[in-house]
Each structure stands twice: as C-alpha cells, then as structure tokens.
Amino acid sequence: SYVLTQPPSVSVSPGQTASITCSGDKLGHKNACWYQQRPGQSPVVVLHEDTKRPSGIPERFSGSSSGNTVTLIISGTQAMDEADYYCQGWDSSAVVFGGGTKLTVL
Amino acid sequence: QVQLVQSGAEVKKPGASVIVSCKASGYTFTAYYIHWVRQAPGQGLEWMGWIKPSSGTTQYEHKFQGRVTMTKDTSTSTAYMELNSLTSDDTAVYFCAREFIGAAAEDFDYWGQGTLVTVSS
C-alpha cells in the first residue's frame, strides 16, 4: 500500500526555522496538505494544495514541493507550534496520512 | 458557524459493534464529503473511508472493508460510522471531518471533536 514517510521527530530552538519533510511516490500527482495536532485536540489544516495557507493560519507556516517530497516550513518557530504534524496525500480517491512528526521547541 | 459534533464515548466488549455519529451544522451537508479517521492511543492518524452525503456513495480503506459501514441521514445532516467485530486494536479516538466536493484544496477543513471508543472485556 501507498506510504508517506515523515521523520518521527524534529527539534528546533525558539525563533529558528523548522522543516518537516514528507516523501511518497505519488505526491507529485495530486495535492498534499499538512495538519497540526496539539495533545488532546482535533487536527487543524495548516497548509493545503502543497504550499497554500488557509485563512487564519500564521504567515510563519509555509511549504515547498519538489518531485516526490513536500516540506512544511515553520519560520520563527514559537513555543505554541510544538505539536504533532501530519502530511496527507492521496492514492487515487483514498486518503493516506504520513506517520506524523513530533515537533519539539527547545 | 460550521460544526461537526460527534456522539459520546463508548465502551464495548470484544466482538461487539459500535456506531459513532457526526452531526453537521452551519453549512450545506450535501456539498461536502464526510471522512472518518481514527487515532489509537499514542499513534498517528489512520484514514477509514468517506461517504458522499448527496448520494450515499462510500469508499472504505481496504483494511476496514467488510467491517465498516458509513451511512448518512440528510434530514438531520448526520453521518454515521459503524464498526463491527471489535477487538482491542480498535480502541481509538474516532474523528469525522469534512472535505469540500470538487475543491482544489482536497483537505479536511473542519473536524469533529473526536469520540473515544474503548474495547475491553
């Protein structure tokens, strides 16, 4: 089955830039998005269409896409950004989530 | 405002079935798919399938085919997810989420609050 691969964890110092990658063979075929999930809460979409920010999402969240990899970039990372992040892609009309990345702001 | 409100926590015995509901409000129910996603304790998100409320068309993740049924009641703007033959591996928080039909974004812009299903003898 189709797999999206993320690093299990990423650490960043406050004010620095965090990058979280997501790799998968079919990422170039259809849009991907990113969700932030804080403990005990429902996920929230922070990027869609690979690189676009939904309304209400801070400008420090951005994305890039190249070949079979999409990247979530958080510039000027704040303590409140500490959370789990999941990429989501598609295998035809089926949804696939990455395994998730725990972002720690040290 | 848009809301997806799910039913309350459930405790079930192995072999039983569970039905989780997701009541939508604040938007046109038939304009969005309803997806179901679960998350086992300490684990990641796992997609289960979707239903198109306007037609009742469904697609299920292969892993759950034969054991899951997704339905809808358009008169009450409510979607349902039934999972049968429960085992302890089904202990998880179950979420519903919506996706705009035909959107370029193809993301889940609103999620329910989650329903904890505990399977224990």
Side-chain angles (χ1 to χ4, degrees):
Chain A
S1 61
Y2 182 45
V3 174
L4 294 177
T5 301
Q6 299 179 231
S9 62
V10 168
S11 297
V12 64
S13 299
Q16 299 304 301
T17 297
S19 296
I20 301 173
T21 58
C22 173
S23 300
D25 290 346
K26 301 179 184 180
L27 279 178
H29 302 172
K30 219 169 173 182
N31 290 329
C33 56
W34 288 91
Y35 298 92
Q36 175 194 70
Q37 186 182 33
R38 296 189 174 105
Q41 297 187 16
S42 302
V44 173
V45 58
V46 293
L47 286 182
H48 57 200
E49 296 183 71
D50 290 353
T51 61
K52 295 181 179 179
R53 206 172 44 250
S55 61
I57 301 301
E59 290 185 7
R60 62 180 181 276
F61 288 87
S62 64
S64 67
S65 176
S66 178
N68 293 332
T69 299
V70 293
T71 303
L72 170 66
I73 302 163
I74 309 172
S75 306
T77 306
Q78 300 181 8
M80 65 185 299
D81 299 329
E82 187 162 288
D84 294 325
Y85 291 85
Y86 296 90
C87 61
Q88 178 231 305
W90 294 85
D91 182 3
S92 184
S93 55
V95 172
V96 180
F97 286 103
T101 299
K102 181 176 182 58
L103 178 67
T104 301
V105 183
L106 301 165
Chain B
Q1 73 282 22
V2 174
Q3 284 190 302
L4 296 174
V5 178
Q6 299 183 221
S7 48
E10 302 264 13
V11 179
K12 296 292 183 181
K13 293 193 181 304
S17 298
V18 69
I19 298 175
V20 179
S21 66
C22 172
K23 182 171 177 58
S25 61
Y27 73 95
T28 301
F29 182 58
T30 51
Y32 291 75
Y33 295 101
I34 293 290
H35 292 256
W36 290 91
V37 177
R38 77 177 187 179
Q39 187 171 36
Q43 301 301 308
L45 302 174
E46 181 176 32
W47 179 75
M48 299 180 69
W50 55 254
I51 183 167
K52 188 177 184 182
S54 59
S55 63
T57 303
T58 55
Q59 179 167 345
Y60 304 139
E61 162 61 36
H62 294 306
K63 170 180 178 178
F64 298 104
Q65 283 181 358
R67 209 160 65 90
V68 70
T69 304
M70 297 177 187
T71 57
K72 47 77 182 184
D73 181 345
T74 52
S75 69
T76 60
S77 298
T78 303
Y80 299 90
M81 187 281 300
E82 179 177 14
L83 189 62
N84 302 318
S85 303
L86 293 169
T87 72
S88 58
D89 290 341
D90 295 314
T91 294
V93 175
Y94 290 75
F95 295 100
C96 63
R98 73 169 197 175
E99 177 207 351
F100 186 58
I101 297 171
E106 299 177 308
D107 65 341
F108 303 164
D109 62 346
Y110 279 88
W111 294 63
Q113 83 275 20
T115 297
L116 175 62
V117 176
T118 303
V119 183
S120 174
S121 54

